[in-house]
Amino acid sequence: MTNSPRQAAAIRRVLVGLSSADMPTAMLDLATQLAHAFHAEVAGLFVEEDMLFHLSGYPAAQVLRRGGRPEVLERGRIDAELAAQARAWRRALSACAERSHVSWSFESRRGDALTILRGSARADDVLLIGGTASTITLRARIALAVEALGAARAALVMPERIRRQRGQVVAFSDGEADDRAVDLAARIARAMGESLLILTREHSHDSEARGERARILELASEDPESIAMLLRRLEPRLVVAQSGGPVFADVGTAAALMHAAGAPLLLLRSGV
């Protein structure tokens, strides 16, 4: 499987959007593994979301502490807790990056999370999208990922919970000779030490050549329910697909398939 200099230079940074929302810490491991695969930097961007400060302006606003005890949501408490969360994310990112031997950076910014993430994405980025106050649902995160692909090279959508730490990388192929999704998936699988499974709509000589380093499974149908059943059975660690492909073009369908897989979804900008 070939990796041209152009492909190797396509991704230079894995940008991780961090916030106060609950997110699996395993996503930092995945982010640094991707950075290692692409010889890229991993950059953490912690967003102090405006929505939280707006809530503190309401007299009745409360937060539930451990044990179910309500407390008034005060501006000073929000500032202190966000600062503590930013420090915790910075330490965690530093530790993950050092384990993976990749360069890293970290910054905190205040504002609307979606606006900041969209505006920070670059053409050579993989943008990792976890939970924010505005992207609580999986469908909202995928919608943001699709929108971010107008600027970023790829977007990695995280589920609410990562079901497994090991498993094969599954790549959807469109059957074309120059299939960037498969090439990128192969690099990621090697960096993770996982096997690669290519799901393709049509068998070709190029698929046979790729099969020297990966297993190939020809899809009997593009019916979303059939593919969802297959993904449940495969239990992948990561799913890689083109955003404009026939399977993941619809946000609702993509969310259902990602839920079935129980794994992060790396969406690539079509035609790049």
Side-chain angles (χ1 to χ4, degrees), residues 215-236:
R215 290 196 302 127
I216 298 173
L217 180 61
E218 190 170 352
L219 294 172
S221 168
E222 290 183 359
D223 174 59
E225 292 186 5
S226 298
I227 295 176
M229 291 178 61
L230 175 62
L231 290 173
R232 289 191 190 96
R233 187 169 73 250
L234 292 173
E235 296 187 338

Side-chain angles (χ1 to χ4, degrees), residues 11-140:
I11 294 172
R12 293 190 175 90
R13 185 176 69 161
V14 178
L15 179 62
V16 186
L18 303 168
S19 76
S20 58
D22 289 335
M23 292 181 286
T25 53
M27 72 177 186
L28 293 182
D29 290 321
L30 180 55
T32 52
Q33 286 172 339
L34 291 179
H36 177 74
F38 301 126
H39 305 289
E41 172 196 9
V42 59
L45 176 58
F46 183 81
V47 181
E48 299 177 353
E49 299 187 71
D50 275 341
M51 184 180 296
L52 298 175
F53 294 98
H54 293 160
L55 287 175
S56 67
Y58 293 95
Q62 294 182 328
V63 61
L64 290 178
R65 297 297 175 187
R66 290 182 180 178
R69 181 170 57 89
E71 292 184 9
V72 176
L73 191 63
E74 298 176 346
R75 172 61 184 266
R77 182 182 294 272
I78 292 176
D79 287 330
E81 293 197 0
L82 287 177
Q85 289 168 356
R87 289 193 297 270
W89 278 121
R90 190 181 191 280
R91 288 193 299 268
L93 178 63
S94 172
C96 288
E98 289 174 5
R99 284 196 301 269
S100 296
H101 304 289
V102 298
S103 60
W104 65 279
S105 64
F106 183 91
E107 69 170 310
S108 296
R109 294 170 61 184
R110 180 183 167 187
D112 175 70
L114 302 187
T115 301
I116 290 175
L117 290 176
R118 284 194 297 259
S120 300
R122 305 186 317 211
D124 56 2
D125 277 352
V126 172
L127 174 61
L128 189 152
I129 301 173
T132 70
S134 303
T135 57
I136 296 175
T137 67
L138 181 58
R139 182 166 181 153

Side-chain angles (χ1 to χ4, degrees), residues 176-188:
E176 296 180 357
D178 185 18
D179 195 330
R180 302 295 175 84
V182 172
D183 290 334
L184 289 174
R187 295 187 65 183
I188 295 168

Side-chain angles (χ1 to χ4, degrees), residues 22-24 136-138 141 158-162 258-259:
D22 289 335
M23 292 181 286
I136 296 175
T137 67
L138 181 58
R141 289 197 288 279
M158 300 299 297
E160 291 82 1
R161 180 173 62 89
I162 297 178
M258 185 175 167
H259 179 75

